[in-house]
Amino acid sequence: MLRLASLLFSLTLVSLSWAAKTADTDKVYLVAKFDVDGTTYNEVVFFQDDAIDELADCNREIMYGRRGGWQVYTHITKAVSGFTYSTSYACAAGAQRFSDWDRSGRAPRSQVFSVTIKNERLEVKSHASYSQCMGWVRQRGGETSKQYCGKSAQRIVNQ
């Protein structure tokens, strides 16, 4: 009986240290969603900077950005003639890593992702096409501000 209790205690310590290690590997992302108004088409960018390692700091950055004073995630959105865009931001933590954002805006948005932010956790899944992604999102309750499809020039660099 003592051996079983010792084994359970050891397993608990191992699982706690694994959970702590997993939490340490999470990065905080500012997820920017750019959508063409009146459509289901979105583009998405995953901003990450090591200077922002707390969700509260990321949310503060959004507050500054809404006033035109981005401190860390400086970026400019380009309007396309004839279209109306809406931009929304959310902060979330996740273990996935993404390739760098193309600041030139010329890289093709060839990656299609479903983006889910639940309880400030970021989950991103690749899809072969936008229609496949939309089907996946609809099966899970449909599009919301925290669950949607988006095209991106970035790639997932680890799974």
Side-chain angles (χ1 to χ4, degrees):
M1 185 67 171
L2 184 57
R3 183 178 289 236
L4 179 61
S6 176
L7 178 62
L8 288 175
F9 180 72
S10 296
L11 288 174
T12 302
L13 286 178
V14 168
S15 66
L16 286 175
S17 66
W18 179 82
K21 183 177 181 183
T22 301
D24 287 344
T25 62
D26 284 355
K27 296 283 188 183
V28 173
Y29 290 96
L30 173 67
V31 182
K33 175 185 170 195
F34 307 97
D35 60 293
V36 178
D37 293 343
T39 72
T40 58
Y41 180 78
N42 303 300
E43 291 184 4
V44 64
V45 177
F46 306 97
F47 294 106
Q48 190 280 321
D49 192 293
D50 289 338
I52 304 282
D53 60 358
E54 298 286 331
L55 288 167
D57 295 335
C58 180
N59 286 311
R60 190 174 311 109
E61 180 71 3
I62 291 174
M63 181 187 69
Y64 287 133
R66 286 192 177 129
R67 297 180 190 154
W70 293 104
Q71 304 291 304
V72 177
Y73 301 117
T74 304
H75 60 285
I76 297 171
T77 58
K78 295 180 185 177
V80 176
S81 180
F83 292 96
T84 306
Y85 284 88
S86 296
T87 305
S88 58
Y89 299 97
C91 296
Q96 289 175 306
R97 299 292 182 268
F98 302 92
S99 62
D100 289 338
W101 173 59
D102 170 48
R103 295 175 190 270
S104 74
R106 289 186 288 246
R109 274 85 174 137
S110 57
Q111 302 297 309
V112 178
F113 299 124
S114 57
V115 178
T116 305
I117 300 172
K118 186 174 181 181
N119 299 323
E120 298 180 325
R121 297 287 310 155
L122 176 64
E123 292 183 31
V124 178
K125 178 178 170 46
S126 288
H127 296 273
S129 68
Y130 208 86
S131 61
Q132 181 189 62
C133 181
M134 289 300 295
W136 188 89
V137 166
R138 287 181 181 131
Q139 286 178 345
R140 283 151 186 80
E143 276 195 305
T144 67
S145 63
K146 303 289 184 174
Q147 178 175 278
Y148 54 88
C149 293
K151 291 192 89 176
S152 182
Q154 291 173 283
R155 296 177 328 281
I156 297 174
V157 293
N158 76 335
Q159 286 285 81

